[in-house]
Amino acid sequence: MDKVQAYIQENKERYLEELMDLLRIPSVSADPAYKKDVIATAKFVAKELKKAGAQKVELCKTAGYPIVYGEKIIDKKLPTILVYGHYDVQPADPIELWESGPFDPVIKKTKTHPQGAIFARGACDDKGQMYMHLKAFEAMMKSKSLPCNVKFMIEGEEEVGSENLGPFCKKNKKKLAADVVLVSDTSIINNRTPSITTGLRGLSYLEVEVTGPNRDLHSGVYGGAVANPINILAKMIAEMHDKNNRIKIPGFYEDVEIVTKAERKQMNEAPFNLKNYQKDLGIKDVNGEKSYTTLERTSIRPTLDVNGMWGGYIGDGAKTVLPSKAYAKISMRLVPNQDPKKITKLFTDYFKKIAPPSVKVKVMPHHGGEPAVTPTDSLEYKAAEMAMEKTFGKRPIPQRSGGSIPIIALFEKVLGIKSVLMGFGLNSDAIHSPNEHYGLFNYYKGIETIPYFYQYYKELKK
Ligand code: BES
Ligand code: MN
Ligand code: MN
């Protein structure tokens, strides 16, 4: 282990420069304008993987962006770790709120990152975290101390729903055969309090369209007599929650897993300061389902949120118009035992039911994904726990996260492999927001911790 750690220390600066190069390529998977860049990013990752010592490195074609694959098999009898990550990033907008260019990485010190953080889109989610695995692998290879077999599967469509990864896994079960999936695409509590993610929420994402009159109308001539689809949509959205912030869709909570009192108690013992949370977000109060704490609302409880809403005139100045159409994008975060397909259907039925006869409504489902929970009594959890305890000097706390990585449930279903979610980001790293960043402390801590995971996992598997 000392040799690996020494190699990491000696190569720290280069490791950072390489990540900055990776962050300069705008791999926005949602926007076709970046197609060339997304592919260039896949090639960058493949090249680095090869340089680090991986074999059979290839860009696997899919109906969308390629999946980067590479492996190093040292001994068939040893355990195999499958590393999953994504090289695509979220769109950068609203661009005007960035203090530096989203694809022009800079290092700045912040209160939470006194040692400095890299500011760029994808710095934390997930280029920075994914790249830690390549660099840890390089260090193990170059110091001739790789303890087990490893396979890399780095995709370019996570931020748009991983639609082609499921079919890829189904077609390549043999190629992807492994003992565990190792993922760094989640957060820790803070830099003094490591944690391991033991749950992810599922997702149902859809778009709604409400149509009133067959064309935009003069809001004076017709206003007051014809349904305004934006007014109606706003009312319908308001009909989604009751006064206790519970979702009113019939059957919505039917399958929600009931978490025991003991587990809830333990969950709320994790370090969390409501005052600081509010201060960080610039809010005077939090808001959510009655009888649940903020930690519970963002982990074990499902949600319904409008992600965007539009229609009518939104240009400069005023235009007096009664719009013909109104739209909204709505997401529901789901918890264990809720089925995204069923929830989408329940939403659609309810939405149609509450629509007044003065409008027509359409519901268009986007991507979805199943929730996932990972046990804390498995070998892989234990290995991650030991690895983090080694490098942080403190035993990590198991914690469920509010985010979603739909493919995790699929790995278990299709490949029959359990995942361990050993992420190193912070919730305050502004992923998906302007000024996303990733702490240098976190980047290096990740690179240092990963080889210990390999080592302990191999020892525990014996
Ligand atoms: N890495 C995130 C998910 C995440 C973030 C999990 C923080 C835990 C903590 C991932 O890239 C992501 O953003 N997922 C999307 C879902 C996807 C289907 C677009 C999400 O959660 O919105
Ligand atoms: Mn991610
Ligand atoms: Mn993301």
Side-chain angles (χ1 to χ4, degrees):
M1 270 297 119
D2 297 350
K3 272 189 298 171
V4 190
Q5 298 299 334
Y7 183 92
I8 294 169
Q9 294 315 313
E10 281 155 25
N11 290 278
K12 264 187 154 172
E13 246 115 83
R14 176 173 55 82
Y15 277 9
L16 182 57
E17 277 159 29
E18 286 177 15
L19 174 58
M20 309 256 280
D21 287 340
L22 174 62
L23 291 168
R24 282 189 190 97
I25 325 176
S27 53
V28 181
S29 52
D31 185 346
Y34 293 97
K35 189 169 173 189
K36 268 202 196 121
D37 301 295
V38 183
I39 292 166
T41 309
K43 288 185 180 154
F44 180 109
V45 173
K47 195 171 146 211
E48 287 304 320
L49 204 48
K50 211 167 189 172
K51 265 207 262 170
Q55 291 163 342
K56 295 194 183 167
V57 176
E58 56 176 321
L59 293 192
C60 305
K61 278 212 182 82
T62 71
Y65 288 120
I67 292 160
V68 183
Y69 180 85
E71 63 177 43
K72 181 71 192 179
I73 308 296
I74 48 173
D75 181 348
K76 289 239 161 74
K77 287 191 273 329
L78 286 168
T80 303
I81 296 170
L82 176 60
V83 174
Y84 165 79
H86 62 95
Y87 65 79
D88 65 321
V89 302
Q90 284 275 322
D93 61 270
I95 192 110
E96 63 283 4
L97 296 181
W98 283 78
E99 279 166 25
S100 53
F103 302 106
D104 194 3
V106 291
I107 293 166
K108 279 190 288 188
K109 289 187 173 137
T110 70
K111 258 194 202 136
T112 27
H113 294 295
Q115 299 175 39
I118 323 167
F119 282 75
R121 172 56 87 231
C124 174
D125 184 13
D126 179 41
K127 282 173 165 172
Q129 297 209 60
M130 173 272 287
Y131 207 62
M132 298 182 318
H133 285 272
L134 266 71
K135 294 300 102 180
F137 171 66
E138 177 194 314
M140 289 184 274
M141 287 298 291
K142 304 291 174 192
S143 60
K144 300 197 168 34
S145 50
L146 182 69
C148 33
N149 304 316
V150 56
K151 295 176 176 177
F152 290 88
M153 174 168 63
I154 315 294
E155 72 154 320
E157 298 183 310
E158 197 278 339
E159 299 293 8
V160 288
S162 304
E163 258 173 68
N164 295 300
L165 194 59
F168 176 80
C169 289
K170 278 184 196 133
K171 261 187 257 156
N172 293 283
K173 281 187 197 165
K174 249 214 183 123
K175 181 192 188 110
L176 301 172
D179 296 279
V180 64
V181 185
L182 178 59
V183 187
S184 296
D185 194 20
T186 52
S187 339
I188 51 172
I189 293 174
N190 61 50
N191 284 353
R192 279 155 283 107
T193 321
S195 56
I196 297 174
T197 302
T198 51
L200 292 162
R201 286 197 282 194
L203 184 67
S204 161
Y205 199 111
L206 39 84
E207 197 168 316
V208 297
E209 182 191 284
V210 177
T211 308
N214 59 7
R215 60 203 145 93
D216 285 6
L217 304 172
H218 189 289
S219 66
V221 176
Y222 290 97
V226 177
N228 179 325
I230 301 182
N231 295 10
I232 302 273
L233 177 56
K235 258 196 197 156
M236 290 171 75
I237 287 167
E239 272 304 300
M240 293 290 158
H241 295 91
D242 70 11
K243 63 174 195 309
N244 295 324
N245 276 315
R246 272 180 73 87
I247 295 154
K248 283 165 74 179
I249 299 170
F252 185 85
Y253 291 97
E254 207 168 78
D255 302 323
V256 168
E257 172 203 51
I258 296 164
V259 179
T260 62
K261 270 209 181 114
E263 218 181 310
R264 285 179 65 182
K265 184 166 174 279
Q266 195 201 18
M267 191 171 282
N268 286 299
E269 277 162 10
F272 176 77
N273 184 308
L274 189 61
K275 283 247 162 63
N276 289 346
Y277 185 82
Q278 291 175 171
K279 200 172 149 218
D280 175 48
L281 301 176
I283 52 174
K284 286 217 175 94
D285 198 4
V286 288
N287 177 264
E289 190 181 355
K290 203 179 162 184
S291 314
Y292 291 94
T293 64
T294 297
L295 281 177
E296 291 169 344
R297 287 169 180 169
T298 54
S299 61
I300 57 163
R301 299 302 295 168
T303 66
L304 185 152
D305 274 296
V306 179
N307 294 247
M309 193 172 165
W310 69 102
Y313 183 68
I314 51 166
D316 286 339
K319 180 190 177 201
T320 49
V321 60
L322 195 163
S324 164
K325 283 180 189 290
Y327 303 87
K329 287 183 195 279
I330 294 172
S331 69
M332 288 167 281
R333 295 281 170 176
L334 311 177
V335 297
N337 302 336
Q338 281 184 300
D339 171 13
K341 285 207 185 86
K342 178 175 166 184
I343 292 295
T344 302
K345 168 95 173 52
L346 291 177
F347 174 94
T348 308
D349 292 347
Y350 181 64
F351 197 73
K352 288 188 172 156
K353 203 189 103 200
I354 63 173
S358 52
V359 296
K360 287 194 282 271
V361 300
K362 257 199 228 164
V363 179
M364 294 148 288
H366 280 274
H367 50 248
E370 280 178 34
V373 274
T374 60
T376 52
D377 57 0
S378 64
L379 286 186
E380 56 268 18
Y381 184 88
K382 187 89 201 134
E385 185 175 63
M386 287 166 69
M388 280 186 137
E389 184 165 5
K390 175 82 185 170
T391 54
F392 281 89
K394 235 191 223 174
R395 176 171 295 195
I397 299 172
Q399 193 172 53
R400 290 210 212 176
S401 168
S404 310
I405 312 177
I407 205 69
I408 299 298
L410 240 117
F411 288 151
E412 180 152 14
K413 254 195 197 161
V414 175
L415 301 173
I417 318 175
K418 291 231 156 58
S419 299
V420 50
L421 303 164
M422 191 172 74
F424 293 86
L426 297 183
N427 283 346
S428 55
D429 284 346
I431 64 170
H432 294 209
S433 301
N435 305 308
E436 175 177 352
H437 53 280
Y438 191 40
L440 298 184
F441 170 89
N442 305 70
Y443 181 54
Y444 292 128
K445 193 61 93 184
I447 299 172
E448 289 156 20
T449 307
I450 291 161
Y452 284 111
F453 176 86
Y454 280 55
Q455 184 65 37
Y456 295 142
Y457 186 66
K458 175 194 164 178
E459 286 168 13
L460 290 169
K461 274 292 245 187
K462 263 187 202 152

